[in-house]
Amino acid sequence: MHEVSKVYPNGTEALKALDLTIYPGEHVVILGHNGSGKSTLFRCLTGFENITSGFLEIDGKNPSQLKKRKERSAFRRNIGLVFQHYHLTQNLSVLQNVLFGALGRQSFRKVCAPIASLALRNEAMEALERVGMESVAGNGADELSGGQKQRVAIARMIMQRPRMIMADEPIASLDPKAGKEIMDLLVSICKENQLTFISILHQTDIALQYGERIIGLNQGEVQLDKPVPFIQRSELHELYMSSQEQKEERLEGVVGYGI
Ligand SMILES: Nc1ncnc2c1ncn2[C@@H]1O[C@H](COP(=O)(O)OP(=O)(O)OP(=O)(O)O)[C@@H](O)[C@H]1O
């Protein structure tokens, strides 16, 4: 993206002339305090929000120039989305939820569990095995814990056969153990399939543990963009201070360490 800006109709400038290149196969974590522009960036990258100005291309396509429904759904099919709230269909089985992941490439009729082809059902069972949930394929999605629901949501995403994964706070609703398991799973799936992985996280320790590169946003601008091994804790500390606090620290000549 080159000089990408996003101004909402109420005048809020959420992204200010962002210049970013994310390379195939990279695992990038986007950090920043509330209101820094992370979700706006996520929505622009996934084509749910149009940019106001600048140049944005993903895998050779500019999402805001895809006018036809078919083009937009082909673009979105390449992006596996993972959210904080798993968006499973609660009153359906785990297997049916996973089958829905094939919807971008199969008709609705073909992904309905009772009449789905054996090949599709086998593929869905393999996806469930990959996330360690094959034993609950016949259970209702509403019977699962949060961590289990996220695993099923990831299996559904595997069915989609995406070229990249974008995750918006994928572990924000989970306890630390389940959160780490989900991050392990996402990172290993990306490595196995050489998928680009962009995640928005709130936990700096998880970002340092699982990310390869951290992009820190502050008031719609890139304040930090470095490979993880080169990041100082003080830089993350500064990212999470308000702009007023940053000014005050600079005036006092104090550098903060540790978060
Ligand atoms: N639909 C909208 N209309 C107007 N302003 C918006 C809209 N969505 C977000 N904003 C504003 O844009 C700025 C960036 O918001 P955004 O949600 O992208 O930040 P964020 O970093 O994701 O925050 P959080 O961590 O709280 O989710 C904020 O000032 C927010 O109030």
PDB file of all heavy atoms in Angstrom, residues 81-102:
ATOM      1  N   LEU A  81     -10.427 -15.621   7.127  1.00  0.00           N
ATOM      2  CA  LEU A  81     -10.625 -14.662   8.221  1.00  0.00           C
ATOM      3  C   LEU A  81     -10.826 -15.395   9.541  1.00  0.00           C
ATOM      4  O   LEU A  81     -11.564 -16.385   9.605  1.00  0.00           O
ATOM      5  CB  LEU A  81     -11.843 -13.784   7.937  1.00  0.00           C
ATOM      6  CG  LEU A  81     -11.734 -12.872   6.720  1.00  0.00           C
ATOM      7  CD1 LEU A  81     -13.063 -12.182   6.450  1.00  0.00           C
ATOM      8  CD2 LEU A  81     -10.636 -11.838   6.912  1.00  0.00           C
ATOM      9  N   VAL A  82     -10.188 -14.877  10.581  1.00  0.00           N
ATOM     10  CA  VAL A  82     -10.392 -15.415  11.933  1.00  0.00           C
ATOM     11  C   VAL A  82     -10.732 -14.229  12.825  1.00  0.00           C
ATOM     12  O   VAL A  82     -10.031 -13.209  12.794  1.00  0.00           O
ATOM     13  CB  VAL A  82      -9.119 -16.117  12.462  1.00  0.00           C
ATOM     14  CG1 VAL A  82      -9.372 -16.747  13.827  1.00  0.00           C
ATOM     15  CG2 VAL A  82      -8.636 -17.185  11.492  1.00  0.00           C
ATOM     16  N   PHE A  83     -11.809 -14.377  13.583  1.00  0.00           N
ATOM     17  CA  PHE A  83     -12.267 -13.266  14.419  1.00  0.00           C
ATOM     18  C   PHE A  83     -12.253 -13.650  15.897  1.00  0.00           C
ATOM     19  O   PHE A  83     -12.196 -14.826  16.247  1.00  0.00           O
ATOM     20  CB  PHE A  83     -13.701 -12.867  14.033  1.00  0.00           C
ATOM     21  CG  PHE A  83     -13.820 -12.314  12.636  1.00  0.00           C
ATOM     22  CD1 PHE A  83     -14.296 -13.105  11.609  1.00  0.00           C
ATOM     23  CD2 PHE A  83     -13.447 -11.014  12.346  1.00  0.00           C
ATOM     24  CE1 PHE A  83     -14.408 -12.610  10.316  1.00  0.00           C
ATOM     25  CE2 PHE A  83     -13.552 -10.508  11.067  1.00  0.00           C
ATOM     26  CZ  PHE A  83     -14.037 -11.313  10.050  1.00  0.00           C
ATOM     27  N   GLN A  84     -12.376 -12.622  16.727  1.00  0.00           N
ATOM     28  CA  GLN A  84     -12.482 -12.846  18.178  1.00  0.00           C
ATOM     29  C   GLN A  84     -13.717 -13.700  18.498  1.00  0.00           C
ATOM     30  O   GLN A  84     -13.675 -14.607  19.314  1.00  0.00           O
ATOM     31  CB  GLN A  84     -12.574 -11.497  18.895  1.00  0.00           C
ATOM     32  CG  GLN A  84     -12.800 -11.612  20.379  1.00  0.00           C
ATOM     33  CD  GLN A  84     -12.898 -10.246  21.047  1.00  0.00           C
ATOM     34  OE1 GLN A  84     -12.750  -9.207  20.404  1.00  0.00           O
ATOM     35  NE2 GLN A  84     -13.156 -10.252  22.327  1.00  0.00           N
ATOM     36  N   HIS A  85     -14.837 -13.359  17.852  1.00  0.00           N
ATOM     37  CA  HIS A  85     -16.083 -14.124  18.048  1.00  0.00           C
ATOM     38  C   HIS A  85     -16.221 -15.008  16.811  1.00  0.00           C
ATOM     39  O   HIS A  85     -16.208 -14.494  15.703  1.00  0.00           O
ATOM     40  CB  HIS A  85     -17.265 -13.181  18.247  1.00  0.00           C
ATOM     41  CG  HIS A  85     -17.035 -12.229  19.387  1.00  0.00           C
ATOM     42  ND1 HIS A  85     -16.951 -12.655  20.681  1.00  0.00           N
ATOM     43  CD2 HIS A  85     -16.785 -10.895  19.408  1.00  0.00           C
ATOM     44  CE1 HIS A  85     -16.698 -11.627  21.476  1.00  0.00           C
ATOM     45  NE2 HIS A  85     -16.584 -10.541  20.718  1.00  0.00           N
ATOM     46  N   TYR A  86     -16.366 -16.280  17.021  1.00  0.00           N
ATOM     47  CA  TYR A  86     -16.049 -17.303  16.034  1.00  0.00           C
ATOM     48  C   TYR A  86     -17.019 -17.356  14.855  1.00  0.00           C
ATOM     49  O   TYR A  86     -16.730 -17.946  13.837  1.00  0.00           O
ATOM     50  CB  TYR A  86     -15.978 -18.647  16.769  1.00  0.00           C
ATOM     51  CG  TYR A  86     -15.456 -18.428  18.182  1.00  0.00           C
ATOM     52  CD1 TYR A  86     -16.322 -18.402  19.295  1.00  0.00           C
ATOM     53  CD2 TYR A  86     -14.114 -18.137  18.392  1.00  0.00           C
ATOM     54  CE1 TYR A  86     -15.846 -18.126  20.567  1.00  0.00           C
ATOM     55  CE2 TYR A  86     -13.624 -17.864  19.667  1.00  0.00           C
ATOM     56  CZ  TYR A  86     -14.503 -17.859  20.748  1.00  0.00           C
ATOM     57  OH  TYR A  86     -14.022 -17.567  21.992  1.00  0.00           O
ATOM     58  N   HIS A  87     -18.188 -16.721  15.006  1.00  0.00           N
ATOM     59  CA  HIS A  87     -19.199 -16.689  13.938  1.00  0.00           C
ATOM     60  C   HIS A  87     -19.565 -18.088  13.439  1.00  0.00           C
ATOM     61  O   HIS A  87     -19.642 -18.329  12.243  1.00  0.00           O
ATOM     62  CB  HIS A  87     -18.734 -15.801  12.775  1.00  0.00           C
ATOM     63  CG  HIS A  87     -18.467 -14.380  13.190  1.00  0.00           C
ATOM     64  ND1 HIS A  87     -19.414 -13.576  13.776  1.00  0.00           N
ATOM     65  CD2 HIS A  87     -17.347 -13.631  13.108  1.00  0.00           C
ATOM     66  CE1 HIS A  87     -18.897 -12.398  14.044  1.00  0.00           C
ATOM     67  NE2 HIS A  87     -17.639 -12.398  13.661  1.00  0.00           N
ATOM     68  N   LEU A  88     -19.758 -19.009  14.381  1.00  0.00           N
ATOM     69  CA  LEU A  88     -20.268 -20.322  13.987  1.00  0.00           C
ATOM     70  C   LEU A  88     -21.794 -20.258  13.982  1.00  0.00           C
ATOM     71  O   LEU A  88     -22.389 -19.434  14.680  1.00  0.00           O
ATOM     72  CB  LEU A  88     -19.819 -21.405  14.989  1.00  0.00           C
ATOM     73  CG  LEU A  88     -18.315 -21.624  15.140  1.00  0.00           C
ATOM     74  CD1 LEU A  88     -18.045 -22.756  16.121  1.00  0.00           C
ATOM     75  CD2 LEU A  88     -17.651 -21.915  13.806  1.00  0.00           C
ATOM     76  N   THR A  89     -22.415 -21.142  13.198  1.00  0.00           N
ATOM     77  CA  THR A  89     -23.880 -21.240  13.230  1.00  0.00           C
ATOM     78  C   THR A  89     -24.227 -22.203  14.366  1.00  0.00           C
ATOM     79  O   THR A  89     -23.979 -23.406  14.294  1.00  0.00           O
ATOM     80  CB  THR A  89     -24.419 -21.733  11.867  1.00  0.00           C
ATOM     81  OG1 THR A  89     -23.879 -20.872  10.860  1.00  0.00           O
ATOM     82  CG2 THR A  89     -25.932 -21.678  11.812  1.00  0.00           C
ATOM     83  N   GLN A  90     -24.752 -21.612  15.441  1.00  0.00           N
ATOM     84  CA  GLN A  90     -24.851 -22.332  16.722  1.00  0.00           C
ATOM     85  C   GLN A  90     -25.728 -23.572  16.686  1.00  0.00           C
ATOM     86  O   GLN A  90     -25.441 -24.559  17.317  1.00  0.00           O
ATOM     87  CB  GLN A  90     -25.384 -21.393  17.818  1.00  0.00           C
ATOM     88  CG  GLN A  90     -24.461 -20.236  18.136  1.00  0.00           C
ATOM     89  CD  GLN A  90     -23.123 -20.680  18.720  1.00  0.00           C
ATOM     90  OE1 GLN A  90     -23.031 -21.719  19.367  1.00  0.00           O
ATOM     91  NE2 GLN A  90     -22.087 -19.903  18.475  1.00  0.00           N
ATOM     92  N   ASN A  91     -26.841 -23.498  15.930  1.00  0.00           N
ATOM     93  CA  ASN A  91     -27.780 -24.630  15.996  1.00  0.00           C
ATOM     94  C   ASN A  91     -27.458 -25.722  14.975  1.00  0.00           C
ATOM     95  O   ASN A  91     -28.263 -26.603  14.752  1.00  0.00           O
ATOM     96  CB  ASN A  91     -29.226 -24.136  15.829  1.00  0.00           C
ATOM     97  CG  ASN A  91     -29.399 -23.344  14.560  1.00  0.00           C
ATOM     98  OD1 ASN A  91     -28.406 -22.975  13.924  1.00  0.00           O
ATOM     99  ND2 ASN A  91     -30.633 -23.099  14.169  1.00  0.00           N
ATOM    100  N   LEU A  92     -26.268 -25.651  14.366  1.00  0.00           N
ATOM    101  CA  LEU A  92     -25.874 -26.695  13.420  1.00  0.00           C
ATOM    102  C   LEU A  92     -24.684 -27.474  13.979  1.00  0.00           C
ATOM    103  O   LEU A  92     -24.016 -27.028  14.919  1.00  0.00           O
ATOM    104  CB  LEU A  92     -25.514 -26.077  12.071  1.00  0.00           C
ATOM    105  CG  LEU A  92     -26.688 -25.467  11.298  1.00  0.00           C
ATOM    106  CD1 LEU A  92     -26.192 -24.834  10.015  1.00  0.00           C
ATOM    107  CD2 LEU A  92     -27.763 -26.516  10.985  1.00  0.00           C
ATOM    108  N   SER A  93     -24.412 -28.630  13.361  1.00  0.00           N
ATOM    109  CA  SER A  93     -23.317 -29.468  13.871  1.00  0.00           C
ATOM    110  C   SER A  93     -21.964 -28.843  13.534  1.00  0.00           C
ATOM    111  O   SER A  93     -21.842 -27.970  12.656  1.00  0.00           O
ATOM    112  CB  SER A  93     -23.397 -30.861  13.252  1.00  0.00           C
ATOM    113  OG  SER A  93     -23.015 -30.782  11.893  1.00  0.00           O
ATOM    114  N   VAL A  94     -20.957 -29.341  14.235  1.00  0.00           N
ATOM    115  CA  VAL A  94     -19.574 -28.913  13.987  1.00  0.00           C
ATOM    116  C   VAL A  94     -19.218 -29.208  12.526  1.00  0.00           C
ATOM    117  O   VAL A  94     -18.686 -28.353  11.812  1.00  0.00           O
ATOM    118  CB  VAL A  94     -18.635 -29.646  14.970  1.00  0.00           C
ATOM    119  CG1 VAL A  94     -17.186 -29.570  14.524  1.00  0.00           C
ATOM    120  CG2 VAL A  94     -18.798 -29.083  16.380  1.00  0.00           C
ATOM    121  N   LEU A  95     -19.550 -30.413  12.048  1.00  0.00           N
ATOM    122  CA  LEU A  95     -19.207 -30.797  10.670  1.00  0.00           C
ATOM    123  C   LEU A  95     -19.871 -29.847   9.669  1.00  0.00           C
ATOM    124  O   LEU A  95     -19.229 -29.389   8.714  1.00  0.00           O
ATOM    125  CB  LEU A  95     -19.653 -32.246  10.388  1.00  0.00           C
ATOM    126  CG  LEU A  95     -19.338 -32.734   8.978  1.00  0.00           C
ATOM    127  CD1 LEU A  95     -17.836 -32.872   8.758  1.00  0.00           C
ATOM    128  CD2 LEU A  95     -20.020 -34.060   8.681  1.00  0.00           C
ATOM    129  N   GLN A  96     -21.153 -29.525   9.916  1.00  0.00           N
ATOM    130  CA  GLN A  96     -21.839 -28.638   8.983  1.00  0.00           C
ATOM    131  C   GLN A  96     -21.175 -27.260   8.941  1.00  0.00           C
ATOM    132  O   GLN A  96     -21.007 -26.667   7.877  1.00  0.00           O
ATOM    133  CB  GLN A  96     -23.314 -28.486   9.368  1.00  0.00           C
ATOM    134  CG  GLN A  96     -24.091 -27.570   8.424  1.00  0.00           C
ATOM    135  CD  GLN A  96     -24.111 -28.067   6.988  1.00  0.00           C
ATOM    136  OE1 GLN A  96     -24.832 -28.994   6.651  1.00  0.00           O
ATOM    137  NE2 GLN A  96     -23.285 -27.468   6.124  1.00  0.00           N
ATOM    138  N   ASN A  97     -20.782 -26.782  10.109  1.00  0.00           N
ATOM    139  CA  ASN A  97     -20.097 -25.480  10.148  1.00  0.00           C
ATOM    140  C   ASN A  97     -18.815 -25.518   9.309  1.00  0.00           C
ATOM    141  O   ASN A  97     -18.509 -24.573   8.595  1.00  0.00           O
ATOM    142  CB  ASN A  97     -19.767 -25.102  11.588  1.00  0.00           C
ATOM    143  CG  ASN A  97     -20.887 -24.317  12.238  1.00  0.00           C
ATOM    144  OD1 ASN A  97     -21.019 -23.116  12.018  1.00  0.00           O
ATOM    145  ND2 ASN A  97     -21.725 -24.995  13.014  1.00  0.00           N
ATOM    146  N   VAL A  98     -18.081 -26.628   9.397  1.00  0.00           N
ATOM    147  CA  VAL A  98     -16.822 -26.730   8.641  1.00  0.00           C
ATOM    148  C   VAL A  98     -17.125 -26.820   7.144  1.00  0.00           C
ATOM    149  O   VAL A  98     -16.447 -26.192   6.321  1.00  0.00           O
ATOM    150  CB  VAL A  98     -15.988 -27.930   9.150  1.00  0.00           C
ATOM    151  CG1 VAL A  98     -14.713 -28.089   8.320  1.00  0.00           C
ATOM    152  CG2 VAL A  98     -15.624 -27.722  10.616  1.00  0.00           C
ATOM    153  N   LEU A  99     -18.168 -27.565   6.787  1.00  0.00           N
ATOM    154  CA  LEU A  99     -18.552 -27.672   5.368  1.00  0.00           C
ATOM    155  C   LEU A  99     -18.854 -26.291   4.773  1.00  0.00           C
ATOM    156  O   LEU A  99     -18.553 -26.028   3.610  1.00  0.00           O
ATOM    157  CB  LEU A  99     -19.763 -28.591   5.218  1.00  0.00           C
ATOM    158  CG  LEU A  99     -19.460 -30.092   5.280  1.00  0.00           C
ATOM    159  CD1 LEU A  99     -20.730 -30.888   5.520  1.00  0.00           C
ATOM    160  CD2 LEU A  99     -18.776 -30.556   3.995  1.00  0.00           C
ATOM    161  N   PHE A 100     -19.418 -25.405   5.579  1.00  0.00           N
ATOM    162  CA  PHE A 100     -19.733 -24.056   5.093  1.00  0.00           C
ATOM    163  C   PHE A 100     -18.483 -23.317   4.588  1.00  0.00           C
ATOM    164  O   PHE A 100     -18.589 -22.400   3.795  1.00  0.00           O
ATOM    165  CB  PHE A 100     -20.401 -23.219   6.185  1.00  0.00           C
ATOM    166  CG  PHE A 100     -21.878 -23.492   6.349  1.00  0.00           C
ATOM    167  CD1 PHE A 100     -22.520 -23.219   7.552  1.00  0.00           C
ATOM    168  CD2 PHE A 100     -22.637 -23.997   5.300  1.00  0.00           C
ATOM    169  CE1 PHE A 100     -23.879 -23.465   7.713  1.00  0.00           C
ATOM    170  CE2 PHE A 100     -23.996 -24.251   5.447  1.00  0.00           C
ATOM    171  CZ  PHE A 100     -24.616 -23.986   6.653  1.00  0.00           C
ATOM    172  N   GLY A 101     -17.309 -23.763   5.041  1.00  0.00           N
ATOM    173  CA  GLY A 101     -16.074 -23.135   4.567  1.00  0.00           C
ATOM    174  C   GLY A 101     -15.865 -23.299   3.068  1.00  0.00           C
ATOM    175  O   GLY A 101     -15.134 -22.531   2.448  1.00  0.00           O
ATOM    176  N   ALA A 102     -16.534 -24.315   2.487  1.00  0.00           N
ATOM    177  CA  ALA A 102     -16.376 -24.562   1.040  1.00  0.00           C
ATOM    178  C   ALA A 102     -17.354 -23.728   0.217  1.00  0.00           C
ATOM    179  O   ALA A 102     -17.375 -23.824  -1.017  1.00  0.00           O
ATOM    180  CB  ALA A 102     -16.572 -26.043   0.750  1.00  0.00           C
TER     181      ALA A 102
END
